[in-house]
């Protein structure tokens, strides 16, 4: 990578990257280089406090490589080939390069045997999970979510924060 904006990682994504880095000790692969740079330079934030334009795991991101056609994928740590949505693994250089960037930022890296490629984050979209949660929360017929406490947006029946972004 030649252009290195300081990544902003959720504590969950940072933890995943640290675990991945331990499996790459001694490796000189492009993947190991990207992981090391992300872990070393990252600013760490609470997963519930990230801005909607930040690329994190589970979010859909629209990006272009070398001013080419836009691509849109959901970033995921799992490699579920049965998924109906287009995913991009965060265990591949392209996925990790995007992680921690914001809409409008770009990064340069070497993909395969090619010369440096430039990735541009065009847009960060709500994750499918967040969209499903938002649809569920706005269905008043769900009894478990119908009792609200006045505590800043936490359903009384479930006790979890409503930090849906996007």
């Amino acid at each position: 990578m030649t252009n290195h904006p300081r990544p902003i990682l959720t504590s969950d994504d940072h933890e995943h990257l640290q675990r991945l880095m331990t499996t790459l000790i001694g490796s000189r692969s492009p993947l190991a280089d990207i992981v090391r740079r992300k872990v070393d330079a990252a600013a760490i934030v609470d997963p519930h406090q990230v801005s909607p334009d930040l690329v994190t795991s589970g979010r859909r991101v629209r990006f272009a490589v070398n001013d080419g056609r836009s691509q849109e994928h959901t970033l995921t740590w799992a490699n579920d080939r049965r998924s109906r949505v287009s995913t991009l693994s965060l265990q591949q250089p392209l996925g990790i390069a995007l992680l921690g960037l914001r809409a409008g930022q770009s990064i340069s890296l070497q993909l395969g045997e090619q010369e440096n490629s430039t990735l541009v984050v065009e847009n960060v979209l709500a994750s499918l999970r967040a969209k499903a949660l938002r649809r569920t929360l706005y269905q008043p017929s769900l009894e478990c979510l119908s009792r609200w406490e006045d505590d800043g947006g936490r359903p009384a029946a479930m006790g979890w924060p409503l930090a849906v972004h996007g």
Side-chain angles (χ1 to χ4, degrees):
M1 294 188 310
T2 57
N3 179 19
H4 307 284
R6 184 168 186 198
I8 300 171
L9 301 176
T10 66
S11 55
D12 295 340
D13 287 339
H14 188 258
E15 185 177 315
H16 273 92
L17 282 178
Q18 286 181 316
R19 282 196 301 256
L20 180 58
M21 192 167 69
T22 62
T23 67
L24 299 169
I25 291 175
S27 175
R28 294 178 184 222
S29 70
L31 177 64
D33 181 49
I34 294 169
V35 171
R36 278 197 270 313
R37 288 179 188 270
K38 289 282 178 171
V39 168
D40 291 344
I44 313 301
V45 297
D46 183 290
H48 297 93
Q49 303 300 320
V50 296
S51 65
D53 69 338
L54 183 66
V55 178
T56 65
S57 61
R59 287 196 172 165
R60 289 194 67 73
V61 60
R62 185 178 305 127
F63 63 96
V65 179
N66 292 333
D67 296 323
R69 196 171 133 215
S70 293
Q71 303 176 41
E72 190 173 301
H73 300 285
T74 298
L75 297 182
T76 179
W77 289 105
N79 288 325
D80 185 4
R81 290 182 175 27
R82 297 172 292 161
S83 176
R84 288 188 237 164
V85 298
S86 177
T87 60
L88 178 60
S89 174
L90 285 165
Q91 298 179 31
Q92 297 176 0
L94 182 60
I96 292 176
L98 292 167
L99 191 65
L101 298 179
R102 293 185 181 280
Q105 286 187 318
S106 63
I107 192 165
S108 297
L109 75 153
Q110 188 170 350
L111 294 173
E113 303 270 330
Q114 303 173 1
E115 291 185 21
N116 280 349
S117 298
T118 300
L119 308 175
V120 178
V121 177
E122 296 173 347
N123 198 3
V124 180
L125 309 158
S127 68
L128 296 179
R129 190 175 109 206
K131 286 180 182 178
L133 177 62
R134 193 176 306 121
R135 268 186 254 119
T136 301
L137 291 177
Y138 292 115
Q139 293 180 4
S141 62
L142 292 177
E143 186 176 329
C144 69
L145 295 176
S146 64
R147 294 184 301 144
W148 291 85
E149 291 179 2
D150 187 20
D151 68 350
R154 293 176 190 262
M158 302 190 75
W160 42 269
L162 295 178
V164 178
H165 301 284

